[in-house]
Amino acid sequence: MSNSSLTVSPELLSLSYAICAHAALLSPMHSHMEDMFYQQSRKYLDQAEVRDSGSFKTISALQTCILLALYELKRTLFARAWVSVSRATWLAQMIELGKMDCNSASKPKSQSSEPILPVAADAMELEERRQTFWGVFNLNCYASIGIGWRPNLAIEYSDISTYLSALDILNGNPAPSGLTLDDALNLSATGILSPLQGATVVATICGRCLSHLHQTYRESALEHPSYDFWTQHHYLDEIVTHLTTHTLAHLKPAEFMTDPDVLFLNLMLQATVICLHHAIVAKGGSKVLVKMTFDSKNRCIEAALEISDLIRLVYQTNLAKLNPFTPWALHVAMQVFIHSTRRTSQAANAVTLEPPFRESSSFSAEEPYRSISIKPSTGINDLYSPLSVSSDYPTHGGTPSNATFTSARMLDSLQFLLAALSALKVTNPLARTFEVLIHEELEGGELVSQQRIIGLVRFPLQ
């Protein structure tokens, strides 16, 4: 056998090293090889990009870009991750993965002289290309949690003709096939989606809600805003309601205990609800909106408590299998608890988060969190600014007993989620970034909380 027949292309070498880097991140025995694998992957990807053979415009190269971006996010290499996300997005558009199943005259393919990718050898290769495209798409949507990390997918969702993945199994039956993203967003009340299809739809709505939140804050500073807030808000609210009550209602974590994708889908759906309704809270400023703002604060609290309940199922799931963006959902829920319980006036019996909770790292089925302490506030002597039920936040019933119960439940959930973040950072160092942000809000008081936008994160780029 000649040496030429044994030559491995640089994009395949790069992909192999990227896979090894992720594996080493999860394996204490091989952690010392992690950076070497990562550097080798980048080296061979760069080689593929500068070669004249077109080896960079391949599915393998695109998969490598996705894995490198996820690795860099996990390792909090945010500047590199931003570049890698953009690189993957533009490469997917260059090879027209978003138009794979175009069979309509209203959605024509570009008029390029010849296709960039060869014809797929079989149905499995075609499905691999679809899943790769939706991997880029989901990554692009979730990357917009970063302030300034606007989605750079230069294509309208309604123009994407590539079918959602139909490879996963739903209740023992094949997933619905032949669905585009636009089809999935407009399913009837009887239509259902599989976990993979649902994950893409939730990523889409999450990306739109984050963009909605971005736009709301941007235009709030303008004297004559041009953004049609209410049209967009009601549209997104209708889709989210339809997803939770119909299209994804069958995907309950309790019934899919071994499926981390279902758990992540539900976490992100609740985090999306929070981002959507926090946009109304952020808009405020009008007496007409008082009732609506009150209801939206209620929705935020309910969704945050649901995230806490969902994450209590994590001890039955391998943490290494959870999506890298899982810590963001926890961070969003904790921001709601902090905003909702932040002291706005001196209270005789404030619920205070004691300093020892800060270092809590235990997270197990037997003792996932320590018991909370309810005592009068000790003011500036506390390490954390005292937390109590804010006078302008809903108390779920209005009576003092209900207010105390809700307050205690939120503090309990906040404490539990801090322990969960501490456990997650063992296999996903990105969780450490969100943990630090939460401690900054706890220590910095109301002023820091007011400067933070629930759902949006300012990643350090140095």
Side-chain angles (χ1 to χ4, degrees), residues 234-289:
H234 288 309
Y235 168 72
L236 292 171
D237 192 39
E238 286 179 3
I239 292 181
V240 170
T241 301
H242 184 72
L243 289 174
T244 54
T245 57
H246 298 291
T247 313
L248 299 177
H250 60 291
L251 294 176
K252 300 299 182 184
E255 299 172 14
F256 294 84
M257 296 299 295
T258 60
D259 193 336
D261 291 332
V262 174
L263 177 63
F264 177 70
L265 181 153
N266 281 274
L267 286 171
M268 299 307 282
L269 190 56
Q270 295 303 322
T272 298
V273 169
I274 291 173
C275 292
L276 179 61
H277 285 277
H278 180 63
I280 288 185
V281 177
K283 189 170 180 62
S286 169
K287 292 183 179 180
V288 180
L289 297 178

Side-chain angles (χ1 to χ4, degrees), residues 14-82:
S14 179
L15 178 59
S16 299
Y17 279 117
I19 293 171
C20 290
H22 278 273
L25 175 61
L26 302 177
S27 171
M29 183 182 300
H30 302 94
S31 59
H32 63 286
M33 304 174 70
E34 179 188 332
D35 187 62
M36 183 272 289
F37 288 141
Y38 168 67
Q39 296 296 343
Q40 288 293 102
S41 180
R42 284 178 60 93
K43 168 188 168 183
Y44 284 110
L45 185 64
D46 290 341
Q47 284 186 16
E49 188 173 12
V50 299
R51 283 177 59 170
D52 296 330
S53 62
S55 58
F56 185 69
K57 297 188 285 291
T58 63
I59 294 297
S60 298
L62 179 54
Q63 291 170 342
T64 303
C65 289
I66 297 171
L67 289 176
L68 286 178
L70 288 173
Y71 176 86
E72 288 158 352
L73 281 168
K74 282 184 174 183
R75 273 297 175 202
T76 66
L77 304 170
F78 297 119
R80 296 185 200 174
W82 194 346

Side-chain angles (χ1 to χ4, degrees), residues 147-403:
I147 295 176
W149 291 41
R150 301 302 305 281
N152 51 13
L153 192 67
I155 182 172
E156 292 294 330
Y157 296 159
S158 58
D159 291 334
I160 298 175
S161 67
T162 299
Y163 293 148
L164 296 174
S165 175
L167 201 59
D168 53 340
I169 301 299
L170 176 64
N171 295 329
N173 299 311
S177 60
L179 284 178
T180 65
L181 178 59
D182 201 41
D183 294 334
L185 290 171
N186 294 285
L187 277 181
S188 65
T190 57
I192 59 175
L193 297 173
S194 70
L196 277 181
Q197 293 170 339
T200 296
V201 171
V202 170
T204 303
I205 300 306
C206 182
R208 286 189 176 184
C209 286
L210 289 168
S211 179
H212 179 56
L213 197 54
H214 271 289
Q215 198 70 22
T216 300
Y217 272 91
R218 182 180 296 106
E219 298 250 331
S220 64
L222 301 179
E223 187 175 349
H224 302 289
S226 59
Y227 181 60
D228 191 349
F229 175 89
W230 291 112
T231 299
Q232 183 70 3
H233 183 84
H234 288 309
Y235 168 72
L236 292 171
D237 192 39
E238 286 179 3
I239 292 181
V240 170
T241 301
H242 184 72
L243 289 174
T244 54
T245 57
H246 298 291
T247 313
L248 299 177
H250 60 291
L251 294 176
K252 300 299 182 184
E255 299 172 14
F256 294 84
M257 296 299 295
T258 60
D259 193 336
D261 291 332
V262 174
L263 177 63
F264 177 70
L265 181 153
N266 281 274
L267 286 171
M268 299 307 282
L269 190 56
Q270 295 303 322
T272 298
V273 169
I274 291 173
C275 292
L276 179 61
H277 285 277
H278 180 63
I280 288 185
V281 177
K283 189 170 180 62
S286 169
K287 292 183 179 180
V288 180
L289 297 178
V290 171
K291 174 66 166 59
M292 190 174 291
T293 301
F294 182 87
D295 291 340
S296 290
K297 288 176 179 178
N298 248 331
R299 289 287 299 275
C300 288
I301 292 175
E302 290 168 2
L305 290 172
E306 179 66 17
I307 287 175
S308 177
D309 291 341
L310 287 170
I311 210 66
R312 293 176 197 272
L313 301 174
V314 165
Y315 70 84
Q316 299 187 33
T317 303
N318 185 346
L319 294 182
K321 293 182 179 180
L322 292 178
N323 189 288
F325 288 100
T326 298
W328 174 74
L330 277 64
H331 174 252
V332 169
M334 285 188 281
Q335 280 190 294
V336 170
F337 295 142
I338 292 172
H339 281 239
S340 303
T341 56
R342 177 66 65 196
R343 174 189 294 273
T344 56
S345 61
Q346 290 295 325
N349 293 297
V351 182
T352 304
L353 184 64
E354 295 182 300
F357 296 147
R358 180 180 183 182
E359 299 301 328
S360 174
S361 59
S362 60
F363 185 64
S364 64
E366 293 77 17
E367 189 183 4
Y369 54 93
R370 304 178 189 176
S371 58
I372 62 170
S373 172
I374 303 178
K375 66 175 187 177
S377 169
T378 55
I380 60 175
N381 293 324
D382 290 333
L383 174 62
Y384 294 115
S385 296
L387 301 176
S388 64
V389 178
S390 172
S391 61
D392 65 337
Y393 266 83
T395 57
H396 292 266
T399 65
S401 59
N402 280 340

